Amino acid sequence: MNNTLAMTVDQGNRSVTLCFDIPQCDRVYFSTLPEKVQTEVWQRLKQMAFVAAAKKVNTACKQVAASLKSFARGFSWQRIRALFYQFTKGTDKFAAGDWRILVNWSKVGASRSELSPTFIEFWRMLCEQHQRVTSSAWRQLVFDIWRGRVPFQIKGKRYQQIPGYDVWPEAEPETDLPAGWSEGNLYNYTPDRYELAAARIGIQKASSLGFKIRTTRLGLKIGEFMEFDDHEFNVKVNFPGQMRSMRPRCFGAVDALSDCMFSMVIKPTFWDMDAQAKQVLSEKDFMWFVVAVLTHRGYRADIGTMLLVEHGTATVRGNKKLRIDNPLRDDFEKRIFDATGGKVRVDRGGRFHTKANPGQFAPPSGGNFRFKPHVEQFWRMLDDWLDAVKGQTGKGRDFAPEEMERTDAYNNKLLKVAQAMGVEDASKLILPRMTFDDFTNVATKVMGLINDDPDHACNSWEKCGFITKEYRAELSSTWNPLALLAREQHEVQALVSQSDLHFRVRRMTRAEADRTGTTELTPLPFEMIPSLVGPEYAGRPIPVIGGKFQFKDWRLGPDPLVFVAQDSSGHPLREGERFIPYCNPMSPDALVICDASGSVVSVCPPDLEPAKNDEAGVKAAMGAKNHWQAVKLAGQRARHAPAGSDVEFMKRHNAAVMDGKTVSPEDRQRQRNVKRFSGDAEVLAENTKHQTPNTKEDFSAEALL
């Protein structure tokens, strides 16, 4: 065939120059078409060039059709002739010689359809205004709009015609619908699932389907990023003193590098009978939780630490102005910043509060849970591991056990009966819900199991160096770090080097990875707690009674909290003196006391309370008591030390008399002096060395002095 790229063709009274090639300006767009379509267009361009160069069009078309019979089924010479005249004369959409006339658009896809772009946008708008299903939009288009053939109004805008059409489109005989209006074909033009979710629900829902930002832990350090969050367990438990079972709540903190939950505090949920509402965790509780993390775990004093919090309960306020409706200090963030020298900062992440399009009202503000992915996925794992304990509520309303309502009623009935019974009889009842203490122990244990599980899928783990090499001397023995292999005998070293059964390389657990960097963290001193939280969170002044501070906190349970009353030097405080206490309810292992002016006096340790069968603990408690007593009486013993010599003399003299021994003249004279003078025995003894009266008349206090 003729490979001419351009040719002039006569069309009646004018000549048209046809190009049988893809123009350079269209090459990029042409490359986006399917490969089969591109090949077909090149073949048709050659065919059109062959027909245009021939003297007779029909003869050339028959020759082309004959050459295509073996691989182009159904391509008659009449079809080739019709395509040639379309190519040379042009169509309604494309000019003469435009290569797009030769494209089989049915093989290209929905985006290259012949439907008007204006109509496609109108159809998309109809789909987006129907909140449930797209089929309702098709029914509205066909039955209400097209068959009605009257002006219509959608969302305040009035239309005289269907957008994209100058007149009302006519139906095709085969489908009784306008061309391209079949339900299946129009579905090819519907907005994608992200656009539909944004229009029908909102940006927050659509965000799970759209573009996401991926980050890696590679390059982080332990303590550089800490994620905080609150969580409500999918379990109902019985709380002390409550007449109904409820779901416990907790705070948790996860390190972004190690993925380890290094702190979790579970708190009971109480029911307020007056307000008929649950008393849940508050921002005040979260403030104390952050203080506990900074004083126990610490922060990075070299590169700083970022606290990732949310905008809800687990948040840290940063405004200096104190809001009336917020009991938490709004300058808590600034206090943390000042206490750490600017090394600890707070980031709350973004919020979903923008509308998807101008036709919507702005949605209520909501946080982005993907801002804290590590702590969020840890909650999911924790709930998965706890899904076999009693009292499951399901991960949502649609997954709640059907028996839950009746089980709650029976459990609450037993709680009321138990309250009227004695403690011994009530303990015999079998309740369908766990106690709060039992659940706390189980949840804490499961958290430790997750942290110690080496079978995890944390990304970039090997790149971060979180791998460990281990060996074992025998197949039945435990695995040991490879660093200890140097202490083994040569036989064991040879066995490990030759057998894979005695050597392994495994991933570190989350806890092991976390321990690699905890020594680089700097805990805040407990003495800084009053300046962190402010005086409004101090307790009532408490006195020193029996060398201890003792008080109760309903948030921590019915048992009293007892701390040793001592100053910063370890000396006991004055009995009966009152001090202002600061005790963290999230970690009540230290008591900070201040004087009336607010100055920190000391940090008091908790009082030892060993079990009766703990022999070592009892001895330690007795040693602490003896030390307290020795320090407490040290001043008194120093003040009365001189009187001790008189007691020693009395014992020595009486022993000599009872044994019939001779009393020395000095002791005899001292005996007479002690009996007749009530002064200082030590002074008398000192003076009698220099002057000894011989008669009663000579004896006087003046003479002795």
Side-chain angles (χ1 to χ4, degrees):
M1 293 185 179
N2 195 342
N3 293 328
T4 304
L5 298 180
M7 183 180 298
T8 301
V9 179
D10 293 331
Q11 292 185 356
N13 56 355
R14 65 189 181 95
S15 299
V16 178
T17 301
L18 302 178
C19 180
F20 303 99
D21 192 12
I22 306 297
Q24 191 65 32
C25 59
D26 292 342
R27 289 296 178 97
V28 175
Y29 174 72
F30 180 75
S31 64
T32 63
L33 299 177
E35 185 176 357
K36 292 183 178 180
V37 174
Q38 295 183 41
T39 303
E40 187 177 74
V41 170
W42 283 116
Q43 291 177 350
R44 290 185 177 181
L45 285 173
K46 293 180 180 180
Q47 295 165 6
M48 297 301 104
F50 176 78
V51 175
K55 294 182 179 180
K56 294 184 178 181
V57 174
N58 290 351
T59 303
C61 291
K62 291 178 181 179
Q63 293 178 2
V64 172
S67 64
L68 295 176
K69 282 185 178 180
S70 59
F71 57 88
R73 183 179 179 182
F75 218 82
S76 63
W77 70 272
Q78 293 91 344
R79 177 72 182 92
I80 296 175
R81 185 181 62 178
L83 187 62
F84 173 75
Y85 285 126
Q86 288 180 355
F87 182 73
T88 56
K89 296 180 180 180
T91 62
D92 295 338
K93 287 188 175 182
F94 305 110
D98 195 321
W99 61 271
R100 288 173 291 185
I101 298 175
L102 307 178
V103 176
N104 186 353
W105 293 105
S106 63
K107 297 181 180 180
V108 173
S111 60
R112 275 80 174 185
S113 173
E114 296 184 0
L115 289 174
S116 168
T118 305
F119 172 76
I120 292 176
E121 290 301 312
F122 174 73
W123 162 248
R124 288 172 175 263
M125 185 267 294
L126 288 180
C127 295
E128 291 168 348
Q129 80 166 4
H130 287 270
Q131 208 272 337
R132 290 178 63 89
V133 292
T134 305
S135 59
S136 299
W138 183 80
R139 287 192 295 269
Q140 181 185 11
L141 174 65
V142 174
F143 296 102
D144 297 344
I145 298 177
W146 177 64
R147 292 186 178 177
R149 293 181 179 268
V150 294
F152 57 95
Q153 182 174 332
I154 298 178
K155 283 195 172 183
K157 183 177 181 180
R158 189 167 183 81
Y159 297 88
Q160 298 295 329
Q161 296 287 344
I162 296 177
Y165 293 91
D166 296 332
V167 296
W168 290 94
E170 298 297 332
E172 290 185 334
E174 296 83 1
T175 61
D176 198 26
L177 293 171
W181 277 33
S182 66
E183 188 173 3
N185 185 57
L186 286 181
Y187 278 0
N188 294 325
Y189 303 94
T190 58
D192 59 26
R193 59 177 188 168
Y194 175 83
E195 296 173 304
L196 287 177
R200 293 173 175 177
I201 303 177
I203 290 291
Q204 184 171 2
K205 176 63 177 178
S207 65
S208 62
L209 308 173
F211 186 88
K212 299 180 181 64
I213 299 176
R214 299 174 64 248
T215 58
T216 178
R217 58 170 45 89
L218 192 62
L220 297 182
K221 291 187 177 181
I222 296 295
E224 186 176 357
F225 286 88
M226 301 181 188
E227 298 181 3
F228 293 80
D229 195 22
D230 63 322
H231 180 64
E232 187 174 22
F233 290 96
N234 297 327
V235 178
K236 284 189 174 183
V237 301
N238 294 326
F239 299 98
Q242 299 294 302
M243 294 297 102
R244 63 174 65 193
S245 60
M246 289 178 290
R247 298 166 62 184
R249 300 180 69 96
C250 72
F251 289 121
V254 173
D255 188 89
L257 174 58
S258 64
D259 208 38
C260 174
M261 179 165 284
F262 55 82
S263 180
M264 182 180 69
V265 178
I266 306 175
K267 288 296 181 181
T269 303
F270 296 104
W271 182 262
D272 191 338
M273 297 301 296
D274 297 331
Q276 289 296 303
K278 293 189 297 184
Q279 293 181 352
V280 297
L281 296 175
S282 62
E283 292 183 17
K284 175 183 176 181
D285 297 320
F286 182 70
M287 176 194 69
W288 283 114
F289 180 71
V290 174
V291 171
V293 170
L294 293 177
T295 53
H296 288 78
R297 180 176 175 86
Y299 65 97
R300 294 203 69 95
D302 48 0
I303 60 176
T305 294
M306 181 69 73
L307 308 182
L308 306 181
V309 301
E310 61 180 21
H311 290 268
T313 301
T315 187
V316 176
R317 301 291 180 182
N319 300 328
K320 295 182 180 180
K321 184 178 179 181
L322 186 64
R323 301 187 309 176
I324 298 177
D325 60 339
N326 180 21
L328 180 65
R329 291 194 65 92
D330 279 359
D331 59 348
F332 182 47
E333 179 182 350
K334 183 179 183 301
R335 288 171 175 259
I336 296 176
F337 185 87
D338 295 339
T340 59
K343 292 298 183 179
V344 176
R345 296 171 295 156
V346 178
D347 190 359
R348 297 172 188 82
R351 295 181 68 85
F352 292 104
H353 55 79
T354 57
K355 50 188 178 181
N357 58 71
Q360 296 177 338
F361 285 93
S365 183
N368 182 7
F369 67 92
R370 295 181 188 84
F371 177 67
K372 312 181 300 298
H374 301 281
V375 67
E376 295 288 356
Q377 63 90 20
F378 202 99
W379 293 137
R380 182 191 61 79
M381 288 191 298
L382 192 59
D383 284 332
D384 290 346
W385 285 46
L386 292 172
D387 64 351
V389 301
K390 296 188 297 184
Q392 292 292 319
T393 62
K395 63 180 181 180
R397 179 177 299 179
D398 296 336
F399 300 91
E402 295 180 355
E403 65 169 359
M404 185 172 63
E405 182 179 355
R406 295 294 179 89
T407 308
D408 283 341
Y410 179 69
N411 177 79
N412 298 341
K413 179 181 178 181
L414 291 179
L415 291 177
K416 294 179 181 179
V417 172
Q419 190 179 29
M421 300 171 62
V423 177
E424 183 177 355
D425 294 334
S427 62
K428 299 178 182 179
L429 295 175
I430 301 176
L431 300 175
R433 298 284 186 258
M434 299 178 66
T435 64
F436 174 69
D437 291 336
D438 291 340
F439 175 78
T440 300
N441 294 333
V442 172
T444 304
K445 181 179 179 181
V446 170
M447 182 196 72
L449 292 176
I450 296 176
N451 286 333
D452 294 331
D453 182 18
D455 187 16
H456 57 79
C458 297
N459 62 356
S460 304
W461 210 248
E462 289 78 7
K463 294 181 180 179
C464 293
F466 293 150
I467 57 174
T468 182
K469 300 178 181 179
E470 297 176 328
Y471 80 96
R472 56 183 176 182
E474 299 179 1
L475 296 180
S476 59
S477 60
T478 58
W479 292 95
N480 300 311
L482 190 63
L484 301 179
L485 184 61
R487 304 178 184 178
E488 298 286 354
Q489 299 178 357
H490 294 290
E491 294 79 3
V492 176
Q493 296 178 5
L495 182 64
V496 172
S497 61
Q498 296 175 5
S499 175
D500 293 338
L501 298 177
H502 295 265
F503 173 79
R504 71 176 181 180
V505 178
R506 66 167 177 85
R507 290 178 137 209
M508 288 185 181
T509 65
R510 293 177 173 88
E512 289 174 335
D514 191 66
R515 286 193 291 268
T516 60
T518 52
T519 56
E520 302 174 1
L521 304 181
T522 303
L524 274 179
F526 287 100
E527 289 83 355
M528 301 192 71
I529 290 180
S531 62
L532 278 176
V533 300
E536 58 266 39
Y537 293 105
R540 297 178 180 177
I542 53 177
V544 179
I545 301 177
K548 300 177 182 179
F549 291 113
Q550 181 171 325
F551 57 92
K552 288 186 177 182
D553 190 335
W554 65 270
R555 296 169 297 181
L556 302 175
D559 297 331
L561 298 176
V562 184
F563 296 88
V564 179
Q566 62 183 29
D567 59 16
S568 58
S569 301
H571 293 87
L573 296 174
R574 182 180 178 83
E575 192 74 9
E577 190 173 358
R578 290 179 173 271
F579 296 90
I580 301 174
Y582 287 84
C583 184
N584 191 340
M586 295 295 167
S587 59
D589 53 358
L591 178 69
V592 182
I593 57 172
C594 300
D595 57 19
S597 65
S599 300
V600 176
V601 175
S602 69
V603 179
C604 301
D607 185 37
L608 298 177
E609 191 178 7
K612 291 185 178 296
N613 58 356
D614 185 4
E615 184 177 352
V618 172
K619 288 183 178 180
M622 294 177 64
K625 176 188 176 182
N626 294 335
H627 174 74
W628 176 86
Q629 180 175 306
V631 176
K632 185 72 173 176
L633 298 178
Q636 180 179 347
R637 289 174 176 174
R639 292 191 297 270
H640 295 274
S645 60
D646 183 39
V647 176
E648 293 298 328
F649 163 73
M650 179 179 62
K651 292 181 179 180
R652 186 172 65 252
H653 171 76
N654 291 335
V657 172
M658 289 185 292
D659 293 342
K661 296 181 179 179
T662 303
V663 181
S664 64
E666 292 81 4
D667 288 346
R668 189 179 300 109
Q669 182 60 39
R670 185 174 182 179
Q671 177 186 4
R672 290 196 299 268
N673 293 344
V674 171
K675 289 181 178 180
R676 299 181 59 185
F677 184 72
S678 59
D680 193 331
E682 188 68 24
V683 176
L684 292 176
E686 183 66 24
N687 289 331
T688 52
K689 295 180 180 180
H690 307 287
Q691 181 179 358
T692 304
N694 295 323
T695 63
K696 294 182 179 180
E697 290 74 19
D698 294 334
F699 180 81
S700 65
E702 290 79 0
L704 292 175
L705 296 175

